[in-house]
Amino acid sequence: MGDAIRLEGVTKTFGDMIAVDNLDLSIPTGGLYGFIGPNGAGKTTTIRMLMSILFPDSGTLQVLGHGSALAAKDKIGYLPEERGVYKNMRVGAYLKFIARLKGVAENTIEDRIQTLLGRVELPDVAGKNCEDLSKGMQQKIQFAAAIINEPQLLILDEPFSGLDPVSMRLLRDQIVAEHNRGATILFSTHVMPQAEEICDHVIMIHRGTKVIDAPIQAILGQYDTGTVIIEPLDVAADTSDLAKIRGVEAVHARDGHVELHLAEGTDQARVMRRVITTLPVARMELSRPRLEDIFVRLVAGGSDEDADELISELNSPAKAPAAV
């Protein structure tokens, strides 16, 4: 089926700042990819080059088999980092305008608008001015505009920024629905748990350079924490015998649960079976590594100061439109 997106050696600078540095990237048709990293990592600059808003200083790119997104614009849906609808237009008129720009058949537009407004749980706003809607509602309308042409490729830049938890869940479900329809999706975010929940594959980028590019399950398997978490049935139970289980290097009690840190190469299933025969437990699970922890480990290189800075960047709100 080929690649929906391909970048080879793409570099983009702004003065002395290298925003994207010799980036190689390929996203297969039908993929659901997360493009993750802190604010200023180069995600938005890369997306703007994909959308032919910016052009690389060097390197090549292809979008849906074309050298420019402009040649495939009717097959692409795009939700930019900069939020904005035509505020003086009514919602229905705005969506109809976008549909016509995207080449949607005229006789299908009205039905498609009503269907999409229902999907984003705003069925009664077609006659309202866009400016009269809340920012979250405007964002839902902009998402509806991005998918009104049933795009082959859907590019989303920080789509959850500013949304409340209920709206975030709704939008997440709609992204998954578009993928199930057959769309290739590139989903950019600095909030890594969002990508971990939605995407099949992630590309981590830091200071314009790719640091990892792999399926999520492969990443989590490679960076297994080697920790078993136990919640004893009796919180006052003696857990000292757990340290005697072969393969257990350390036992730490933390806030009502116990963490068993295992030696590298230890058979985790065997340890868990031994735990059950050693101590009655209410809950037991393998500690799952987080993408955020993996990213910090890769980039900070053991420096606590760098790690703290990265964590602060990852937990900060999305920056204004000037962010790269």
Side-chain angles (χ1 to χ4, degrees):
M1 296 176 66
D3 291 331
I5 291 173
R6 177 175 288 275
L7 281 72
E8 295 181 353
V10 168
T11 296
K12 180 65 179 177
T13 61
F14 298 97
D16 295 333
M17 183 187 72
I18 302 175
V20 176
D21 189 7
N22 196 33
L23 180 63
D24 293 331
L25 178 64
S26 61
I27 299 178
T29 299
L32 177 50
Y33 274 49
F35 194 34
I36 62 181
N39 291 319
K43 304 185 303 297
T44 293
T45 295
T46 301
I47 285 174
R48 288 174 178 169
M49 288 189 287
L50 287 172
M51 293 302 300
S52 297
I53 298 169
L54 297 173
F55 297 93
D57 300 334
S58 60
T60 61
L61 60 83
Q62 284 193 333
V63 181
L64 296 180
H66 300 277
S68 166
L70 299 177
K73 63 181 180 62
D74 291 348
K75 300 176 182 178
I76 299 173
Y78 174 44
L79 181 68
E81 182 186 26
E82 307 89 345
R83 301 295 179 248
V85 294
Y86 295 121
K87 293 186 177 181
N88 292 326
M89 293 183 72
R90 296 187 187 277
V91 170
Y94 166 72
L95 291 174
K96 183 178 292 187
F97 173 68
I98 298 298
R100 287 171 173 166
L101 284 179
K102 291 290 188 178
V104 178
E106 189 70 29
N107 63 345
T108 68
I109 290 177
E110 291 293 345
D111 286 344
R112 193 166 295 183
I113 288 172
Q114 288 306 312
T115 297
L116 288 175
L117 290 178
R119 282 178 57 179
V120 297
E121 297 184 355
L122 296 173
D124 302 319
V125 303
K128 294 184 178 180
N129 284 343
C130 291
E131 66 179 349
D132 293 332
L133 304 181
S134 69
K135 289 183 179 180
M137 293 168 73
Q138 289 181 24
Q139 194 161 329
K140 291 180 183 179
I141 296 302
Q142 198 169 359
F143 176 79
I147 63 173
I148 198 164
N149 57 325
E150 296 185 341
Q152 293 179 20
L153 172 63
L154 180 58
I155 297 177
L156 307 169
D157 195 357
E158 299 285 358
F160 298 130
S161 177
L163 289 179
D164 63 80
V166 174
S167 295
M168 286 176 62
R169 179 176 292 273
L170 171 67
L171 195 57
R172 181 202 65 191
D173 291 345
Q174 294 308 315
I175 292 169
V176 172
E178 284 301 294
H179 181 245
N180 290 340
R181 178 181 60 77
T184 303
I185 296 176
L186 177 61
F187 161 67
S188 168
T189 183
H190 73 289
V191 183
M192 296 194 184
Q194 294 173 348
E196 190 171 349
E197 184 178 8
I198 296 174
C199 300
D200 302 324
H201 189 117
V202 295
I203 299 120
M204 295 183 182
I205 187 171
H206 180 58
R207 295 178 181 172
T209 301
K210 185 171 65 175
V211 296
I212 200 164
D213 182 351
I216 283 185
Q217 291 306 315
I219 297 170
L220 298 181
Q222 181 180 354
Y223 294 93
D224 189 350
T225 62
T227 301
V228 176
I229 298 176
I230 301 163
E231 184 179 318
L233 199 59
D234 179 2
V235 294
D238 180 6
T239 60
S240 59
D241 284 346
L242 296 174
K244 301 174 184 177
I245 297 175
R246 182 160 54 90
V248 175
E249 287 192 328
V251 178
H252 297 295
R254 305 184 188 278
D255 300 325
H257 70 271
V258 178
E259 295 181 2
L260 304 186
H261 299 276
L262 309 184
E264 185 175 351
T266 298
D267 183 340
Q268 296 169 335
R270 178 187 58 77
V271 171
M272 295 174 80
R273 288 194 297 269
R274 285 293 310 276
V275 167
I276 292 173
T277 61
T278 302
L279 179 75
V281 298
R283 180 178 67 91
M284 179 167 54
E285 63 183 29
L286 289 173
S287 176
R288 192 168 183 258
R290 300 183 307 162
L291 286 179
E292 181 176 307
D293 297 332
I294 293 169
F295 178 83
V296 170
R297 186 193 311 179
L298 285 170
V299 173
S303 167
D304 291 340
E305 184 177 345
D306 288 347
D308 290 342
E309 181 181 347
L310 281 168
I311 291 169
S312 177
E313 290 176 0
L314 292 168
N315 291 328
S316 66
K319 291 185 178 180
V324 296

